[in-house]
């Protein structure tokens, strides 16, 4: 079936403007109004050329169904209304068909829907790519990696209940057909400070709450003994308040089931490829991080006057050591002392309480951060491509957007640095894409003025005087290093930079700026000015973990923890300072940018409509803020700097051809020539458009909207014309229908009138005829009555006369024989009366009518019975004389069946009233059995479909049962091919049960060719008829009676084995249908209801 059309073009039935490149006039206010209008009508996606803007609806919309996937599959990007599926399809088809590696960059602030957007992209690609067991397994692993990473890398914030606290870049690898082979995940800047401290109203990472809510009691409970089995328990309790690292004010989130999510994560880990021991090891590390937060320290003075720290309650430390298999003494010393190595010297110093707490939190942060990196690497091992063939790659980047908070620290600084780099590559690649299309279409390229943020990137990443370089230099230099010394250095080096501002700057233009606190500096990013608190920059950049703690972790008996701290191996001690967090992130961003530049970019800009996480609320101020820092207006201006709209000639001509008489309704020449004729006819100024090789380029959106207005007016005119023609056709059709109806009605009425008149004439004639016939009949009746009376009178006179003569003649000897004469006369009169009464009381001529008049006199008893016998024989003869030869044959068969089965077979009474038809299949008439008819030359006595019982399992197969004068044949019901042919001389016996079933066995002569496979066991609805005809035919041909055995148990020969067929009573699932089942090698059991 053809794909259902939703909309034929982006411009049809448009709410607002679907592509903001066409927005006129273009300013911040109209841009926001356009987004709001579309948001209010549930249109959450809007284009900027090939960029998709996604506004988070904070509710489920019916726009991601499988039907929607099919709507956008293999469609032009601008063919349907804006949707994330359109971008996903464009990227996937470019990768599959044009062999171009793709990347999809998803940006936006927390709560804008970046994670959901990445899920939708991956789900769409999974839905449209190939199918198969291996491909489906790869897709399932790629999709199930998301719940695992969300559990360990996402958290509830004030802006988002499922906020990604890390940047994720996934490369999905495809083969030449476009089927997924595997993937590689890279993570950036996990917010590990959240492990030890969360802002008010926010939670720690999801996995902590999921573990405490969803783990079984057996997994959580403390160990009460020293057995090996109990040592592996997590020693946790469900109460969140027991753990200092978990915030309590927002531990429960409305609409979030942590227990169910824990089960989902465990299932996802299993699908991705985590073994049970690996999953348990991960949960043990999570439990150890939780319990680290419960370790507290107290101050204690030493003999030399220095303060040192001691652990208050060692039970928590003991349980941590049991979980991680670390020597408790080693870990306790690592929390109390710090060893500094320089060349050949080792200096051990005590840690005060503040330093001990710092060491504890640093260990917790590093332990969780390294566990997260291990999880990513472990997932990569499972989902990586197993083949070494050349691969196509689609990258999906889900990374934090530009952040401007009330208090911005080191994390916001490097996040915004990453976004500056992404904006830079976005502008470069967009301009590059525009320039390539202009060159490809042979359109003159003109220089586009835009803001180049390379100066801001250089301010941050310059290797000599960049902010990150100076921060690293400050962290590495000897002496006292504080955040204030770092800010002083920035003031010295960056004071004259136009995008850097500070209260302590020597530049005079900022001396009176009271909005800048003394401990802050401000950078004017492409998205706006951001004020950074310098406090914590040095410590967070150092990200220092004491070597004693690393060595203690390496000594753990827990294999996973030991692998997370390779630097703790004493044999591989490296005195070189580890790289700082800033330099690591800078290198990761550089690698990411290099990777993105090798791929064709696709952009999704996510926008959060309100801070309440509520549906149907659109905060214009909040959206305006995001539009600015995402640089969306700048994107629009770059896109429409040359030509705002472009379209291939074919769809352009198809859409606007009705505006010109020469191109409407069909243009027979090239599409470009048709578009040229069309634009010349419409007198559009030449400077407003240009002709490319395959596309028409329109400079101003007003020109496009003018074309749309003309098209809309023309469509209305065409609709009016169509309506006019349709109404005329409808009226003519109605008139012709009414005319035909009138002719039919008139004809029927005339017929009715003539019929009615004829009936009246006929009834009148009948009345007249009846009166005449009555008069004639009465006249004849009077004459007959007169003749009868005359005859009766003459008879009476004659009788009296004869009586007189007789009496006169016999009077002389009457008295001697009077008694005898009277007796004989009386007897004669009684018999005469009896016979006359019998004449009037005779029963019907039906042979089965057993009625007979009662006997009037006892002396007539023998006569009465003899008359009854003679009358029955007479009416039977009369009844037989009516039969044809065929009916006589049927009744002979019925009589034969009665002699064979009456009072022997329970099925016989139900067959008495059924006529024996024989040829139920009508083989001579059915063309399906022409081949079978041609193969049989003899007369067919029976043609019926029977169920042949399988010797192996008791199941039945439909076969055509044919009985001729000399043979018994079995044929396939579908093809009509003859399967078996048995001469009647080889049939020795027919066996059946005495019950109400249709099973019967045909026994064959041993040693005959037909008996090679054994006897036949059938089931038929016409058992009595088939057995009777087989008996009569065999008797006619062989002159020997066929043995009919009726028994509830009989033996059947199947090849070399004799099998007992046993009939039992039983309730059946199939109602009244007997069933046959093979019990063993020697028994077939038939259950009869």
């Amino acid at each position: 079936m053809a794909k259902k059309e939703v909309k034929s073009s982006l411009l049809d039935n448009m709410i607002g403007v679907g592509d903001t490149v066409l927005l006129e006039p273009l300013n911040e206010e109209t841009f926001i109004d356009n987004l709001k209008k579309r948001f209010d009508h549930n249109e959450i996606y809007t284009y900027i050329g090939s960029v998709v803007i996604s506004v988070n609806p904070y509710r489920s919309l019916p726009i991601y169904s499988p039907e929607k996937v099919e709507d956008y599959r293999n469609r032009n990007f601008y063919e349907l209304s804006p949707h994330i599926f359109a971008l996903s399809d464009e990227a996937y088809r470019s990768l599959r068909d044009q062999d171009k590696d793709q990347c999809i960059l998803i940006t936006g602030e927390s709560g804008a829907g970046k994670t959901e957007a990445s899920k939708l992209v991956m789900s769409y690609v999974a839905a449209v790519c190939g199918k198969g067991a291996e491909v489906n397994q790869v897709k399932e692993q790629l999709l199930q990696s998301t719940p695992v990473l969300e559990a360990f890398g996402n958290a509830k914030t004030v802006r988002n209940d499922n906020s990604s606290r890390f940047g994720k870049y996934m490369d999905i690898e495809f083969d030449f057909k476009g089927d997924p082979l595997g993937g590689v995940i890279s993570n950036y800047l996990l917010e590990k400070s959240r492990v030890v401290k969360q802002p008010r109203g926010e939670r720690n990472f999801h996995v902590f709450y999921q573990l405490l809510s969803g783990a079984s009691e057996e997994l959580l409970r403390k160990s009460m003994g020293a057995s090996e089995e109990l040592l592996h328990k997590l020693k946790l309790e469900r109460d969140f308040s027991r753990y200092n690292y978990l915030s309590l004010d927002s531990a429960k989130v409305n609409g979030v089931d942590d227990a169910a999510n824990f089960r989902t994560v465990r299932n996802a880990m299993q699908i991705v490829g985590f073994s049970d021991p690996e999953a348990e090891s991960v949960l043990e590390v999570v439990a150890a991080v939780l319990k680290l937060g419960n370790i507290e320290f107290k101050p204690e003075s030493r003999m030399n006057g220095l303060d040192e720290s001691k652990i208050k309650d060692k039970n928590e430390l003991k349980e941590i050591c049991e979980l991680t298999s670390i020597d408790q003494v080693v870990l306790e010393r690592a929390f109390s002392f710090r060893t500094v190595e320089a060349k050949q010297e080792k200096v051990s110093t005590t840690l005060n309480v503040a330093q001990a707490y710092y060491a504890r939190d640093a260990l917790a942060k590093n332990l969780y951060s390294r566990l997260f990196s291990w999880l990513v690497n472990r997932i990569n091992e499972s989902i990586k491509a197993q083949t070494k063939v050349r691969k196509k790659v689609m990258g999906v980047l889900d990374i934090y957007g530009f952040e401007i908070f009330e208090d911005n620290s080191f994390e916001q600084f490097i996040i915004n640095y990453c976004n500056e780099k992404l904006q830079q590559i976005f502008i470069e690649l967009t301009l590059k894409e525009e320039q390539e299309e202009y060159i490809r279409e042979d359109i003159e390229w003109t220089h586009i003025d835009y803001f180049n943020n390379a100066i801001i990137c250089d301010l941050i990443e310059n290797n000599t005087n960049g902010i990150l370089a100076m921060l690293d230099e400050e962290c590495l230099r000897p002496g006292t290093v504080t955040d204030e010394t770092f800010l002083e250095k920035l003031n010295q080096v960056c004071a004259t930079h136009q995008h850097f501002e500070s209260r302590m700057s020597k530049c005079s233009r900022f001396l009176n700026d009271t909005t800048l606190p003394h401990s802050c500096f401000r950078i004017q990013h492409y998205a706006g000015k951001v004020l950074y608190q310098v406090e914590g920059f040095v410590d967070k950049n150092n990200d220092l973990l004491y070597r004693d703690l690393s060595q203690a972790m390496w000594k753990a008996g827990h294999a996973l923890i030991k692998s997370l701290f390779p630097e703790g191996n004493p044999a591989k001690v490296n005195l070189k300072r580890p790289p700082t967090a800033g330099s690591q992130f800078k290198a990761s961003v550089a690698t990411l940018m290099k990777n993105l530049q090798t791929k064709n970019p696709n952009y999704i800009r996510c926008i959060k409509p309100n801070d309440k996480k509520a549906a149907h609320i659109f905060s214009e101020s909040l959206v305006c803020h995001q539009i600015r820092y995402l640089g969306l207006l700048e994107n629009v201006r770059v896109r429409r700097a040359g030509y705002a709209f472009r379209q291939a000639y074919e769809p352009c001509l198809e859409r606007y051809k009705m505006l010109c008489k020469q191109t409407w309704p069909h243009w027979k020449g090239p599409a470009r020539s048709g578009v040229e004729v069309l634009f010349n006819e419409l007198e559009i100024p030449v400077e407003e458009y240009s002709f490319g090789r395959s596309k028409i380029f329109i400079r101003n959106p007003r020109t496009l909207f003018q074309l749309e207005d003309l098209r809309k007016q023309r469509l209305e005119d065409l609709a009016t014309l169509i309506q006019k023609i349709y109404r005329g056709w409808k009226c003519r059709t109605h008139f012709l229908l009414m005319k035909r109806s009138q002719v039919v009605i008139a004809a029927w009425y005339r017929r009715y009138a003539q019929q009615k008149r004829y009936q009246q004439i006929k009834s009148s004639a009948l009345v007249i005829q009846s009166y005449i016939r009555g008069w004639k009949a009465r006249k004849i009746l009077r004459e007959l009555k007169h003749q009868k009376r005359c005859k009766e009178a003459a008879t009476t006179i004659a009788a009296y006369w004869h009586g007189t003569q007789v009496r006169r003649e016999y009077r002389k000897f009457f008295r001697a024989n009077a008694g005898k004469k009277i007796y004989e006369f009386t007897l004669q009169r009684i018999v005469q009366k009896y016979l006359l009464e019998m004449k009037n009381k005779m029963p019907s001529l039906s042979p089965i009518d057993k009625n007979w008049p009662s006997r009037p006199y006892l002396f007539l008893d023998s006569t009465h019975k003899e008359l009854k016998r003679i009358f029955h024989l007479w009416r039977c003869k009369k009844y037989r004389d009516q039969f044809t030869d065929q009916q006589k044959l049927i009744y002979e068969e019925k009589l034969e069946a009665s002699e064979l089965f009456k009072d022997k077979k329970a099925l016989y009474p139900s067959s008495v009233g059924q006529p024996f038809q024989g040829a139920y299949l009508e083989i001579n008439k059915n063309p399906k059995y022409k081949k079978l008819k041609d193969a049989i030359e003899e007369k067919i006595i029976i043609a019926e479909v029977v169920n042949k019982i399988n010797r192996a399992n008791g199941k039945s197969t439909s076969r055509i049962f044919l009985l001729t004068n000399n043979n018994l044949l079995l044929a396939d019901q579908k093809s009509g091919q003859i399967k078996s042919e048995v001469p009647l001389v080889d049939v020795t016996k027919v066996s059946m049960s005495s019950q109400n079933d249709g099973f019967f066995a045909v026994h064959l002569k041993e040693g005959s060719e037909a008996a090679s496979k054994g006897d036949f066991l059938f089931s038929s609805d016409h058992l009595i008829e088939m057995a009777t005809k087989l008996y009569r035919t065999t008797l006619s041909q062989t002159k020997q009676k066929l043995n009919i055995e009726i028994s509830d148990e009989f033996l059947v020969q199947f090849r070399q084995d004799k099998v007992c067929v046993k009939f039992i009573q039983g309730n059946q699932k199939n109602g009244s249908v007997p069933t046959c089942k093979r019990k063993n090698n020697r028994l077939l059991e038939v259950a009869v209801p």
Side-chain angles (χ1 to χ4, degrees):
M1 293 177 63
K3 186 182 290 185
K4 181 182 178 182
E5 297 292 338
V6 181
K7 292 181 182 178
S8 60
S9 172
L10 174 68
L11 300 171
D12 284 336
N13 304 323
M14 200 164 47
I15 298 171
V17 178
D19 188 348
T20 52
V21 173
L22 305 177
L23 189 63
E24 192 70 23
L26 175 64
N27 53 55
E28 196 172 82
E29 182 179 354
T30 57
F31 192 93
I32 295 173
D33 287 342
N34 184 60
L35 290 181
K36 185 176 186 304
K37 182 186 295 184
R38 293 179 61 78
F39 178 81
D40 291 340
H41 289 81
N42 295 330
E43 294 284 347
I44 62 172
Y45 296 111
T46 308
Y47 291 157
I48 303 178
S50 59
V51 178
V52 176
I53 302 174
S54 172
V55 183
N56 193 345
Y58 286 116
R59 62 192 178 98
S60 297
L61 295 177
I63 58 175
Y64 307 109
S65 61
E67 292 76 15
K68 278 289 183 182
V69 172
E70 289 302 317
D71 287 339
Y72 283 86
R73 187 173 186 173
N74 294 327
R75 291 296 191 98
N76 183 276
F77 185 75
Y78 297 102
E79 189 171 348
L80 302 176
S81 59
H83 202 290
I84 194 171
F85 287 169
L87 181 136
S88 305
D89 186 74
E90 185 77 11
Y92 177 71
R93 285 192 294 112
S94 297
L95 175 137
R96 182 192 62 192
D97 301 336
Q98 302 176 18
D99 204 18
K100 293 182 179 178
D101 288 349
Q102 303 290 317
C103 64
I104 299 177
L105 282 68
I106 308 173
T107 57
E109 72 171 45
S110 178
K114 300 187 299 298
T115 302
E116 288 302 316
S118 66
K119 290 180 184 178
L120 290 171
V121 171
M122 293 179 64
S123 65
Y124 180 86
V125 173
V128 300
C129 63
K131 302 292 188 293
E134 294 183 3
V135 173
N136 290 339
Q137 181 182 2
V138 171
K139 291 193 289 188
E140 188 67 15
Q141 286 186 335
L142 291 173
L143 293 175
Q144 290 299 327
S145 66
T146 301
V148 179
L149 295 179
E150 284 187 0
F152 287 86
N154 289 24
K156 188 263 182 189
T157 66
V158 292
R159 297 185 175 185
N160 186 3
D161 290 342
N162 187 33
S163 176
S164 297
R165 307 317 300 162
F166 70 103
K168 181 178 76 172
Y169 178 74
M170 174 183 282
D171 267 335
I172 308 173
E173 299 172 336
F174 299 83
D175 62 10
F176 70 96
K177 302 188 302 294
D179 294 341
L181 297 173
V184 178
I185 300 174
S186 303
N187 65 301
Y188 300 95
L189 192 65
L190 176 72
E191 188 189 14
K192 58 185 177 182
S193 60
R194 181 172 292 272
V195 174
V196 299
K197 184 179 180 181
Q198 305 91 41
R200 180 174 294 277
E202 298 189 2
R203 294 205 313 178
N204 210 324
F205 292 101
H206 292 327
V207 68
F208 295 114
Y209 305 92
Q210 293 174 358
L211 175 61
L212 296 180
S213 300
S216 64
E217 291 292 340
E218 182 183 3
L219 183 63
L220 288 180
R221 70 178 180 219
K222 287 187 177 181
S223 63
M224 303 303 293
S227 68
E228 184 176 353
E229 179 184 357
L230 291 177
L231 283 176
H232 291 291
K233 304 303 178 184
L234 301 183
K235 306 173 180 60
L236 296 175
E237 298 180 11
R238 295 198 188 279
D239 186 6
F240 296 155
S241 62
R242 292 273 300 162
Y243 304 101
N244 297 332
Y245 280 165
L246 301 183
S247 59
L248 301 180
D249 56 341
S250 58
K252 295 290 184 181
V253 181
N254 293 332
V256 176
D257 187 350
D258 288 316
N261 289 341
F262 179 74
R263 293 189 290 271
T264 301
V265 171
R266 288 299 300 268
N267 182 59
M269 292 177 75
Q270 186 177 5
I271 293 174
V272 170
F274 285 81
S275 64
D276 289 340
E278 285 178 329
E280 291 174 3
S281 297
V282 170
L283 296 180
E284 287 168 359
V285 175
V286 173
V289 172
L290 267 180
K291 301 185 80 62
L292 274 175
N294 292 347
I295 295 179
E296 297 182 348
F297 302 93
K298 60 183 179 180
E300 188 173 300
S301 299
R302 301 184 67 183
M303 297 295 294
N304 56 7
L306 296 176
D307 289 338
E308 67 177 9
S309 62
K310 290 292 183 181
I311 297 176
K312 289 183 180 180
D313 184 3
K314 296 186 179 180
N315 286 331
E316 293 288 350
L317 181 66
K318 178 183 176 182
E319 291 182 353
I320 293 174
C321 292
E322 290 176 354
L323 274 173
T324 58
S325 300
I326 300 176
D327 188 350
Q328 184 174 343
V329 176
V330 173
L331 186 58
E332 184 177 2
R333 175 176 176 78
F335 280 132
S336 302
F337 295 88
R338 178 186 179 187
T339 302
V340 179
E341 298 184 24
K343 295 183 180 180
Q344 301 299 324
E345 298 181 2
K346 289 186 178 181
V347 179
S348 181
T349 60
T350 60
L351 300 179
N352 57 30
V353 172
Q355 291 172 332
Y357 277 116
Y358 173 83
R360 179 200 69 178
D361 291 346
L363 177 60
K365 291 188 291 184
N366 274 273
L367 190 57
Y368 191 83
S369 174
R370 297 184 187 202
L371 172 65
F372 186 79
S373 298
W374 181 87
L375 280 171
V376 173
N377 293 332
R378 179 64 184 82
I379 292 173
N380 284 339
E381 290 179 10
S382 296
I383 66 175
K384 68 181 179 180
Q386 302 299 322
T387 60
K388 296 183 180 180
V389 298
R390 182 179 177 274
K391 308 176 186 71
K392 304 175 183 180
V393 178
M394 176 185 289
V396 180
L397 177 64
D398 174 9
I399 201 164
Y400 16 64
F402 201 88
E403 293 187 350
I404 304 177
F405 301 146
E406 291 184 5
D407 296 325
N408 302 290
S409 187
F410 178 74
E411 291 84 0
Q412 283 69 46
F413 175 73
I414 56 177
I415 285 173
N416 293 344
Y417 160 62
C418 179
N419 278 272
E420 286 285 357
K421 296 294 290 183
L422 288 174
Q423 176 68 6
Q424 184 182 25
I425 195 173
F426 168 71
I427 296 297
E428 289 177 359
L429 293 178
T430 301
L431 289 176
K432 180 181 177 183
E433 183 182 2
E434 285 284 296
Q435 188 172 6
E436 286 177 351
E437 183 172 19
Y438 277 45
I439 294 173
R440 187 168 58 249
E441 294 292 331
D442 199 18
I443 300 293
E444 182 181 356
W445 172 258
T446 56
H447 177 70
I448 299 175
D449 292 328
Y450 66 95
F451 172 68
N452 189 345
N453 66 338
I455 187 172
I456 303 175
C457 296
D458 184 70
L459 170 65
I460 299 173
E461 67 181 3
N462 190 284
N463 291 328
T464 56
N465 55 2
I467 295 177
L468 286 177
M470 287 186 286
L471 180 59
D472 287 348
E473 182 181 336
E474 192 68 12
C475 291
L476 297 176
R477 75 175 178 82
T480 303
V481 177
T482 63
D483 295 321
E484 288 73 17
T485 59
F486 167 61
L487 181 59
E488 290 177 2
K489 190 161 190 174
L490 288 182
N491 291 333
Q492 294 174 4
V493 178
C494 304
T496 58
H497 198 286
Q498 58 181 334
H499 292 276
F500 178 84
E501 302 174 8
S502 171
R503 180 71 175 242
M504 302 301 295
S505 174
K506 296 180 181 180
C507 185
S508 59
R509 59 195 175 108
F510 297 129
L511 288 177
N512 296 324
D513 189 354
T514 57
T515 61
L516 273 169
H518 289 280
S519 61
C520 299
F521 66 92
R522 185 158 56 200
I523 295 179
Q524 186 174 354
H525 290 281
Y526 78 93
K529 295 183 178 181
V530 182
L531 183 68
Y532 295 103
Q533 300 281 349
V534 76
E535 181 181 356
F537 262 62
V538 174
D539 286 343
K540 292 177 181 178
N541 188 52
N542 270 325
D543 192 22
L544 186 61
L545 178 67
Y546 297 152
R547 183 174 286 110
D548 300 75
L549 289 172
S550 299
Q551 293 176 349
M553 293 296 105
W554 186 84
K555 293 177 182 178
H558 195 283
L560 175 57
I561 293 180
K562 185 170 184 177
S563 67
L564 298 179
F565 294 87
E567 75 276 11
N569 187 351
K572 298 180 181 179
V573 173
N574 186 2
L575 300 181
K576 186 177 180 181
R577 190 181 181 93
T580 61
S583 61
Q584 291 181 30
F585 186 74
K586 177 182 174 183
S588 298
V589 169
T591 303
L592 176 64
M593 297 302 115
K594 184 178 180 181
N595 193 355
L596 294 180
Q597 284 178 338
T598 62
K599 297 178 174 62
N600 185 49
N602 304 271
Y603 298 92
I604 302 174
R605 305 298 203 191
C606 298
I607 291 180
K608 181 169 67 173
N610 60 78
D611 279 328
K612 299 178 181 179
K613 295 179 281 190
H616 306 294
I617 299 177
F618 190 91
S619 173
E620 295 187 11
S621 58
L622 178 62
V623 173
C624 178
H625 170 71
Q626 295 172 80
I627 287 173
R628 288 175 182 173
Y629 75 65
L630 286 174
L632 298 185
L633 285 177
E634 185 74 13
N635 295 353
V636 178
R637 293 189 181 99
V638 169
R639 174 71 183 187
R640 65 187 288 178
Y643 292 91
F645 182 79
R646 64 221 54 189
Q647 190 175 29
Y649 290 122
E650 288 79 5
C652 179
L653 180 61
E654 185 66 26
R655 185 170 183 81
Y656 301 112
K657 63 182 181 180
M658 73 284 296
L659 301 181
C660 176
K661 293 181 180 179
Q662 299 179 46
T663 57
W664 177 258
H666 300 292
W667 174 258
K668 297 182 180 180
R672 172 171 177 166
S673 302
V675 174
E676 291 176 354
V677 170
L678 176 65
F679 276 51
N680 292 332
E681 178 74 17
L682 296 176
E683 298 181 352
I684 298 176
V686 178
E687 61 273 10
E688 285 295 320
Y689 62 89
S690 290
F691 292 104
R693 295 182 185 275
S694 63
K695 295 180 181 179
I696 176 72
F697 287 73
I698 298 176
R699 186 178 302 278
N700 200 311
R702 285 194 299 271
T703 303
L704 180 65
F705 291 138
Q706 179 184 354
L707 286 173
E708 284 297 310
D709 291 339
L710 292 173
R711 179 177 181 271
K712 183 178 179 181
Q713 182 61 44
R714 180 59 177 158
L715 287 177
E716 290 177 358
D717 296 341
L718 290 174
T720 303
L721 178 62
I722 293 171
Q723 286 178 346
K724 180 182 71 174
I725 295 173
Y726 171 72
R727 286 172 182 152
W729 169 83
K730 186 175 181 181
C731 289
R732 284 192 300 275
T733 304
H734 181 69
F735 167 75
L736 293 174
L737 178 62
M738 292 294 289
K739 184 178 180 181
R740 287 196 298 271
S741 302
Q742 185 271 334
V743 172
V744 172
I745 292 171
W748 277 89
Y749 175 74
R750 287 192 294 271
R751 175 187 175 188
Y752 165 75
Q754 291 298 324
Q755 284 179 340
K756 186 175 181 181
R757 184 169 178 271
Y758 167 76
Q759 292 294 338
Q760 289 176 347
I761 295 172
K762 183 178 179 181
S763 61
S764 301
L766 290 175
V767 171
I768 295 172
Q769 287 177 352
S770 65
Y771 275 103
I772 294 174
R773 290 192 187 100
W775 172 77
K776 288 184 177 181
R778 286 191 295 272
K779 183 179 179 181
I780 294 172
L781 179 62
R782 284 194 299 270
E783 292 176 353
L784 290 175
K785 283 183 178 180
H786 177 71
Q787 292 176 3
K788 181 179 181 182
R789 284 196 298 270
C790 292
K791 185 176 181 181
E792 288 177 350
T795 302
T796 301
I797 294 170
Y800 275 101
W801 168 251
H802 290 305
T804 303
Q805 291 296 323
V806 169
R807 283 189 299 273
R808 185 180 297 168
E809 179 70 25
Y810 287 96
R811 186 176 296 162
K812 51 187 175 183
F813 56 87
F814 177 76
R815 293 187 181 185
N817 298 314
K820 183 179 179 181
K821 292 291 184 180
I822 293 171
Y823 171 76
E824 291 176 353
F825 177 79
T826 305
L827 190 64
Q828 182 181 1
R829 291 298 298 172
I830 290 173
V831 172
Q832 183 180 13
K833 181 180 178 183
Y834 164 70
L835 293 175
L836 289 174
E837 287 178 353
M838 286 293 292
K839 175 184 177 183
N840 298 326
K841 295 181 180 179
M842 282 290 124
S844 67
L845 295 181
S846 173
I848 62 174
D849 188 0
K850 296 184 180 182
N851 294 324
W852 186 251
S854 60
R855 180 193 62 198
Y857 302 102
L858 182 61
F859 76 93
L860 293 174
D861 182 68
S862 59
T863 304
H864 192 73
K865 291 181 179 178
E866 184 65 15
L867 284 175
K868 180 180 179 181
R869 186 184 68 80
I870 294 171
F871 178 79
H872 180 67
L873 293 176
W874 174 77
R875 68 182 177 183
C876 286
K877 181 178 182 304
K878 296 287 286 184
Y879 188 81
R880 287 196 300 273
D881 291 340
Q882 300 174 7
F883 292 167
T884 63
D885 293 338
Q886 184 177 2
Q887 288 176 322
K888 289 180 181 180
L889 179 62
I890 292 174
Y891 279 98
E892 288 175 2
E893 290 178 347
K894 285 288 185 177
L895 184 60
E896 194 79 54
S898 175
E899 293 175 357
L900 291 173
F901 303 108
K902 186 176 181 181
D903 300 328
K904 298 177 183 178
K905 177 71 174 175
L907 186 66
Y908 171 74
S910 63
S911 70
V912 173
Q914 298 177 356
F916 289 174
Q917 298 180 13
Y920 289 92
L921 295 183
E922 297 182 348
I923 292 179
N924 295 331
K925 298 180 181 179
N926 195 335
K928 176 180 178 182
Y929 301 117
K930 184 178 184 303
K931 181 179 178 181
L932 180 60
K933 174 189 172 185
D934 296 337
I936 301 173
E937 298 177 355
E938 300 175 288
K939 177 184 177 183
I940 297 175
I941 299 173
I942 291 180
E944 162 67 325
V945 175
V946 299
N947 292 323
K948 180 178 176 292
I949 307 304
N950 192 300
R951 302 174 175 89
N953 52 21
K955 295 184 179 179
S956 61
T957 306
S958 296
R959 289 286 186 268
I960 298 176
F961 184 98
L962 299 171
L963 177 62
T964 65
N965 291 330
N966 295 307
N967 297 292
L968 186 153
L969 301 97
L970 293 178
D972 186 79
Q973 185 183 6
K974 295 182 179 179
S975 63
Q977 181 181 359
I978 296 176
K979 295 291 187 179
S980 301
E981 183 173 358
V982 180
L984 291 182
V985 295
D986 292 339
V987 177
T988 61
K989 185 173 64 173
V990 174
S991 298
M992 63 189 73
S993 74
S994 63
Q995 302 185 38
N996 191 20
D997 64 275
F999 286 82
F1000 68 98
V1002 178
H1003 301 271
L1004 306 180
K1005 184 186 297 183
E1006 293 186 4
S1008 64
E1009 182 181 354
S1012 61
K1013 293 185 179 179
D1015 301 334
F1016 294 100
L1017 183 60
F1018 301 106
S1019 173
S1020 173
D1021 295 332
H1022 302 93
L1023 167 61
I1024 302 299
E1025 178 183 356
M1026 296 177 72
T1028 303
K1029 287 184 180 291
L1030 182 59
Y1031 176 87
R1032 287 175 59 84
T1033 307
T1034 305
L1035 179 62
S1036 173
Q1037 295 300 319
T1038 64
K1039 307 303 180 181
Q1040 295 180 357
K1041 290 185 179 180
L1042 180 65
N1043 185 13
I1044 304 292
E1045 179 185 359
I1046 300 177
S1047 174
D1048 288 343
E1049 288 190 23
F1050 52 82
L1051 295 177
V1052 179
Q1053 182 76 30
F1054 285 164
R1055 292 188 184 275
Q1056 304 301 324
D1057 300 324
K1058 286 188 179 294
V1059 177
C1060 178
V1061 181
K1062 183 177 181 181
F1063 293 80
I1064 62 171
Q1065 296 288 333
N1067 295 326
Q1068 300 300 313
K1069 296 181 180 178
N1070 296 331
S1072 61
V1073 180
T1075 58
C1076 183
K1077 183 180 291 185
R1078 185 73 179 258
K1079 287 295 186 179
N1080 53 52
N1081 292 337
R1082 300 294 181 181
L1083 178 61
L1084 259 176
E1085 193 173 86
V1086 180
V1088 182

